Amino acid sequence: MEYKTGEFNRLMRAIDDTEKIYSPENYNSRGPEVILREYNQMQLEGYKVQQDFYKMIVDAKTKGLNNFDIRRKLKAQNLGPKTINNLMNGIFTPVNYSDARFKKKVKAVERLAKDKTKESADYRYVVDKNYLYPKLQLNLLKNSYRFKKLDPNDKLKVYAEGKNPNTEGIFGKFLKGGPGLIQRGKNLINKVLPGEPMSKIQTPPLPNTPMPAKMASNTQQKNPQTNLTRNQEALLSPTEKVIAART
């Protein structure tokens, strides 16, 4: 963590050191609009550096490092208390501009204007300090970045609280050190339903089904002499018997 903190300090210093907003060169074409655009770019670069460092802090928490130890390590690497508090809470600390370097730029242009005035018999050169150092606009831009969250979508919130979603909660506390949440789900499925998740279910063949027994015939035997059954002989009239015997 000490190495990462040292790298963080180096990157944050580099953002301010490499900018042209403090240079008196080409000052005529580098007015407030250019200065503010470049200062805004500094904020975006600083946001990315701090966001990456915040992810490292969150990772340290999930590995068991508590807030006190993290703060102590950051303080040992000369991070300011405001920056430490913001990083621990996932808040962006806007990149400051250097008041001293801007004033140095103004002084350099004033000397140039003074020299030009001496060389000219017709003109007196005057410096517009706000053109070279738009302090009010710079402050407004810086303040617009205050309280900007380093995790705007709360993707790291549960980790930032020192909790691992794979090992927390009603069931997680019994599974610390075990597989992750997704893998536990897969294991449960394989335990209850072993085999490939899309394998075909093999249906065993049905046992031999006995054929239905043939119903006993209810047909009465006919008298070979009359060709009539016993019921026909008892119930039919003589005429009907003649007709039935013919069928």
Side-chain angles (χ1 to χ4, degrees):
M1 189 170 187
E2 286 78 4
Y3 169 78
K4 290 289 187 181
T5 307
E7 184 181 26
F8 171 80
N9 280 329
R10 180 181 61 80
L11 292 173
M12 291 301 297
R13 285 194 300 268
I15 292 172
D16 186 60
D17 291 342
T18 58
E19 294 303 324
K20 299 179 181 179
I21 58 176
Y22 306 116
S23 175
E25 295 181 7
N26 302 319
Y27 69 91
N28 280 329
S29 59
R30 296 180 55 78
E33 183 178 349
V34 176
I35 293 172
L36 292 172
R37 183 168 63 246
E38 292 180 349
Y39 187 50
N40 186 68
Q41 182 61 35
M42 290 168 62
Q43 300 297 341
L44 297 177
E45 292 173 7
Y47 181 85
K48 182 64 170 63
V49 172
Q50 292 183 37
Q51 188 178 54
D52 290 343
F53 193 72
Y54 174 65
K55 292 178 181 178
M56 188 273 295
I57 292 177
V58 171
D59 185 58
K61 289 183 179 182
T62 61
K63 292 179 179 178
L65 205 61
N66 59 47
N67 288 343
F68 177 80
D69 290 335
I70 295 175
R71 287 178 178 272
R72 180 171 53 81
K73 290 178 180 293
L74 298 182
K75 186 177 181 179
Q77 295 297 317
N78 298 318
L79 262 68
K82 181 179 179 180
T83 301
I84 292 176
N85 287 335
N86 283 346
L87 286 171
M88 295 298 294
N89 292 305
I91 301 298
F92 174 59
T93 303
V95 178
N96 282 321
Y97 60 83
S98 173
D99 180 70
R101 295 178 70 184
F102 265 119
K103 288 180 177 179
K104 183 178 179 180
K105 170 186 175 181
V106 172
K107 290 291 184 182
V109 176
E110 285 178 337
R111 285 195 299 269
L112 179 61
K114 185 176 180 180
D115 292 340
K116 285 191 173 185
T117 299
K118 289 181 179 180
E119 295 173 359
S120 175
D122 300 322
Y123 296 99
R124 179 174 180 270
Y125 292 86
V126 179
V127 174
D128 182 357
K129 294 183 180 180
N130 187 63
Y131 181 86
L132 301 172
Y133 180 16
K135 187 173 183 178
L136 177 61
Q137 294 93 320
L138 288 169
N139 285 335
L140 290 173
L141 177 59
K142 182 178 70 174
N143 289 336
S144 70
Y145 277 91
R146 293 181 65 192
F147 309 114
K148 186 175 179 65
K149 297 174 65 175
L150 295 173
D151 181 26
N153 298 320
D154 291 329
K155 292 181 178 180
L156 301 174
K157 183 177 181 180
V158 64
Y159 295 99
E161 295 172 351
K163 299 177 181 179
N164 187 329
N166 284 343
T167 58
E168 293 292 334
I170 299 175
F171 303 105
K173 64 182 180 180
F174 299 107
L175 299 166
K176 288 185 177 180
L181 184 63
I182 295 176
Q183 186 59 49
R184 293 206 302 269
K186 290 181 178 179
N187 293 346
L188 179 61
I189 292 173
N190 290 334
K191 184 177 180 180
V192 178
L193 300 173
E196 293 296 325
M198 295 301 292
S199 61
K200 294 180 179 179
I201 300 175
Q202 299 296 328
T203 305
L206 293 173
N208 293 332
T209 305
M211 295 298 292
K214 188 176 181 180
M215 299 297 292
S217 176
N218 193 31
T219 305
Q220 296 185 18
Q221 297 294 326
K222 293 183 178 182
N223 187 334
Q225 295 181 356
T226 62
N227 198 29
L228 297 174
T229 64
R230 195 179 308 173
N231 289 339
Q232 289 175 328
E233 291 180 345
L235 300 175
L236 297 179
S237 65
T239 304
E240 292 172 341
K241 288 179 181 180
V242 174
I243 296 172
R246 293 176 181 174
T247 61

